[in-house]
Amino acid sequence: MKFVAFERAKQGTGASRRLRNAGKVPGIVYGGEGEPQLIELDHNALWQAIKKEAFHSSVLDMELAGKVSKVLLRDLQIHPFRQQVLHIDFQRVSAKQKIQLKVPLHYKGEEESNAVKFDKCLVNHILTELEVSCLPADLPESIEVDLSKLEKGTTLTLKDITLPKGVEPVLRGHTAEDTVLVSVVNPAAEETDAPADVAPAADAKPADKK
């Protein structure tokens, strides 16, 4: 995915405010072999871009001063109640250096599974994204997870799926066995009616005899 950025010279609160009033978004690009560089982007184009999943989870092509470089979105500040991006950060990436990024998990096939189709279970998606480590060329936009073989009373862990070639999970103290992606919840038991020959308890006390 490609976007266009422009160089900016001024920095500070006042300069950033003027940029926003002019329909621009202040930002910065850092990392790699170059020095940190101040940039600005067209707000309307950026607002449309951030609605796309790939803008957040893939290596981007940034065109700046006629040159294209590979970057990752690292930080995005949005106004608390306006549809306005306040600031954006990008990190340069090297083709030979591994990167870490959270990638969306796309689940499919649960409606065809025995757990849902026959046992009417509920399927809970515990994780919706997974942090991975890989070279930029190996970074997937998303990871597809097949749920068509789910059975009643089971869970699906990271150990149960195959990640794309060259992609490793970043577990941070956990293991693939205890990283649960999906759990299957049994349907709630139906309430049974009270037997007909059981009389309801009387609410009122018997009247005192005079």
Side-chain angles (χ1 to χ4, degrees), residues 55-74:
F55 193 78
H56 301 262
S57 60
S58 62
V59 177
L60 308 171
D61 292 322
M62 182 183 71
E63 181 180 336
L64 178 64
K67 297 181 180 181
V68 177
S69 56
K70 302 289 186 181
V71 299
L72 292 173
L73 174 63
R74 282 308 190 191

Side-chain angles (χ1 to χ4, degrees), residues 16-17 20-21 43 47 50-51 76-87:
S16 295
R17 186 184 302 113
R20 297 185 189 107
N21 291 338
H43 184 276
W47 187 258
I50 66 175
K51 295 179 181 179
L76 185 68
Q77 298 176 23
I78 299 179
H79 195 280
F81 56 87
R82 295 177 188 169
Q83 291 187 348
Q84 182 182 21
V85 181
L86 301 178
H87 195 274

Side-chain angles (χ1 to χ4, degrees), residues 97-201:
Q97 186 175 0
K98 286 189 174 184
I99 57 177
Q100 292 184 359
L101 195 68
K102 291 182 178 179
V103 174
L105 296 174
H106 288 175
Y107 296 106
K108 69 166 190 176
E110 64 182 69
E111 295 299 326
E112 289 75 43
S113 68
N114 289 338
V116 174
K117 192 173 183 178
F118 297 108
D119 296 315
K120 310 302 180 185
C121 296
L122 300 177
V123 177
N124 286 341
H125 299 168
I126 307 300
L127 291 185
T128 58
E129 58 184 11
L130 179 70
E131 188 174 7
V132 301
S133 173
C134 62
L135 292 173
D138 295 329
L139 180 67
E141 289 189 7
S142 62
I143 297 173
E144 195 171 84
V145 181
D146 183 14
L147 303 182
S148 62
K149 300 185 184 302
L150 284 180
E151 299 288 344
K152 181 179 180 180
T154 62
T155 60
L156 185 76
T157 69
L158 185 57
K159 185 182 178 182
D160 300 320
I161 69 171
T162 301
L163 296 178
K165 183 179 179 181
V167 176
E168 298 176 348
V170 179
L171 298 177
R172 302 190 187 282
H174 295 277
T175 65
E177 291 86 351
D178 63 23
T179 302
V180 178
L181 306 182
V182 166
S183 66
V184 178
V185 181
N186 296 337
E190 295 181 358
E191 295 183 0
T192 56
D193 296 331
D197 58 345
V198 177

Side-chain angles (χ1 to χ4, degrees), residues 1-7 29 37 39-42 55 60-71 90:
M1 186 173 179
K2 186 177 181 179
F3 69 97
V4 179
F6 305 91
E7 296 176 324
V29 57
Q37 187 171 6
I39 59 173
E40 63 183 67
L41 292 83
D42 178 78
F55 193 78
L60 308 171
D61 292 322
M62 182 183 71
E63 181 180 336
L64 178 64
K67 297 181 180 181
V68 177
S69 56
K70 302 289 186 181
V71 299
F90 296 99

